[in-house]
Amino acid sequence: MLDHGAPPRTPQAAPAPAGLGARLMRRKPVDLLVAEGGQGEGGSLRRSLGLWQLTMISIGATLGTGIFVVLGEAVPKAGPAVTLSFVIAGLTALFSALSYAELAGTIPVAGSSYSYAYATMGELLAWVCGWCLVLEYGVSVAAVAVGWGEYLNELLDGTIGVTIPAALSAPPGDGGIFNLPALIVVLLAMVFLLGGAKESARANTIMVAVKIAALILFCVIGFMGFKSGNYEDFMPLGMAGVSAAGATLFFSYIGFDAASTAGEEAKNPQRDLPRAIMLSLIIVTALYVLVAAVAVGARRWTHFTDSEATLTAIMKDVTGQPFWGTVLAAGAVIAIASVVLTVLYGQTRVLFAMSRDGLVPKVFAKVHPKTGAPRANTIIVSLFCGILAAAIPLGQLADATSIGTLFAFALVNIAVIVLRRTRPDMKRTFRVPLSPVLPIIGFALCVWMMGSLSAITWIVFGVWMAVGLVFYFSYGMRRSRLAAPAAPAVAEN
């Protein structure tokens, strides 16, 4: 939906606020956010990504662990009705995706929900949102990388008959000492990212195509073993089981917002970002439902386990041959690597935006003049995530990413409502229908799902937030660019 409003006002820097409350609530003008797009320390990000690449970034960040790993955990909760669980989870994600689409088209910058919060709700909430994104992206990279080793062993066993010993391929605390494959996949993603956004997007597109082909191959072969009798008791655990599985599967949709972190490297962000977000969610949901329907038809729901290689096992059962399971394992290796690549990309771009605003050290905003990529940022983040995945038992910290993600989603829904009231004149290439009703529903669903998480997860999240607030009050609040009493105005583009 198009909305041709008045041209944006020239941003003017506000005078330095006097009180603590005013300092915490200072907002960064939307026009200033947009005008600074691409600018970094020593160079600029390059606008090289079109609609196709942006869509593949979102699919790459979303489609992977959800269907290759979480399916085995969700089916025992819902039975054959797990297909409905995927639809429910997709609809829940849709409410937040609509809000992301409007804001991504209106404020096409690298910071995603952090920048949206900065423009609408003030610096403190923006910091909290950015700190949640650091948790979401950073620990997600580590958590996804940990699962890569199991499929890699499946592939190695099926091709050359050799596997990496558990001490070097399993996560610490689960029989392993140092997860070498987890470190390797993060470092490989780092190499691609250092080449620049266009080069890493090209690699991601190839990997996304391979994993979609692998899932379609699973559906074709799995359908050969399809038994309608497996659907006779469609909802054995009732609607409660369907809802419980839906809550688990919701986190399979985390990542659709990755395209919004590419706002400063998109060729036509106002047009393409909303389309990429919505298109990726539709494609991912369709694939999830199709694969789940075939999987349950090929194997009795009571025979599912929480093994991370569920789809590979089904392929072996249907064909009676290990070859096809090995092929799918190869697809899973590529799929999970794609998730690592795109989520790591999102993490670096969020820190880039926060650094440019002065809230984290300047090193994260330095751009290499040849590649147009934040090189130091990428290396620091990659090494941190790689070591975290390889050597640290993630435990409840990984679960805390769920709260961080939901908190960011909740703020985005509120940001849409606030920006509609404060800047109704802005041009919006996409508008959330039935606003503010749908954003309020999206906010309520996020809060409800946060409330369903365990107490220990909330405690871990609280500790993380406390550390973040200490850093903000001791560093970010004082170094913020908005703290300057006479920051120069930015000319209208």
Side-chain angles (χ1 to χ4, degrees), residues 90-348:
L91 289 174
T92 302
L94 176 63
F95 287 104
S96 294
L98 290 170
S99 294
Y100 264 100
E102 175 168 330
L103 291 176
T106 308
I107 313 175
V109 292
S112 185
S113 52
Y114 154 76
S115 295
Y116 309 152
Y118 211 167
T120 57
M121 289 174 279
E123 187 171 280
L124 179 61
L125 276 179
W127 167 265
V128 170
C129 187
W131 195 242
C132 286
L133 291 177
V134 171
L135 178 65
E136 173 194 348
Y137 286 121
V139 181
S140 291
V141 167
V144 170
V146 165
W148 192 69
E150 182 169 342
Y151 276 105
L152 180 63
N153 266 340
E154 289 273 347
L155 177 61
L156 293 175
D157 185 43
T159 52
I160 60 177
V162 176
T163 59
I164 303 172
L168 294 178
S169 63
D174 193 23
I177 299 174
F178 188 85
N179 194 328
L180 184 60
L183 177 60
I184 290 174
V185 71
V186 175
L187 294 181
L188 286 174
M190 179 188 75
V191 172
F192 281 115
L193 291 175
L194 288 175
K198 186 175 182 179
E199 289 71 18
S200 55
R202 183 182 295 116
N204 174 65
T205 298
I206 294 172
M207 288 189 282
V208 169
V210 169
K211 65 183 176 182
I212 289 177
L215 290 174
I216 292 175
L217 175 65
F218 168 81
C219 291
V220 171
I221 294 179
F223 191 75
M224 295 167 56
F226 193 94
K227 298 176 183 177
S228 58
N230 289 340
Y231 276 90
E232 287 180 355
D233 191 8
F234 183 69
M235 201 179 293
L237 302 176
M239 196 61 202
V242 174
S243 300
T248 298
L249 293 172
F250 172 79
F251 306 110
S252 303
Y253 290 89
I254 292 173
F256 69 79
D257 58 319
S260 66
T261 65
E264 297 175 25
E265 290 160 288
K267 295 178 182 177
N268 190 343
Q270 285 86 355
R271 182 196 67 185
D272 291 342
L273 288 177
R275 295 180 180 182
I277 291 170
M278 300 308 300
L279 185 59
S280 64
L281 187 62
I282 292 170
I283 293 173
V284 168
T285 301
L287 280 170
Y288 279 167
V289 172
L290 178 62
V291 171
V294 172
V296 173
R299 171 180 279 190
R300 181 77 179 163
W301 73 272
T302 54
H303 295 164
F304 277 77
T305 66
D306 61 357
S307 168
E308 294 184 354
T310 299
L311 299 187
T312 300
I314 292 175
M315 291 274 275
K316 291 179 180 178
D317 291 345
V318 171
T319 62
Q321 301 175 2
F323 171 76
W324 293 109
T326 302
V327 171
L328 190 68
V333 166
I334 295 172
I336 295 175
S338 173
V339 175
V340 172
L341 174 65
T342 48
V343 174
L344 192 64
Y345 168 85
Q347 171 72 294
T348 60

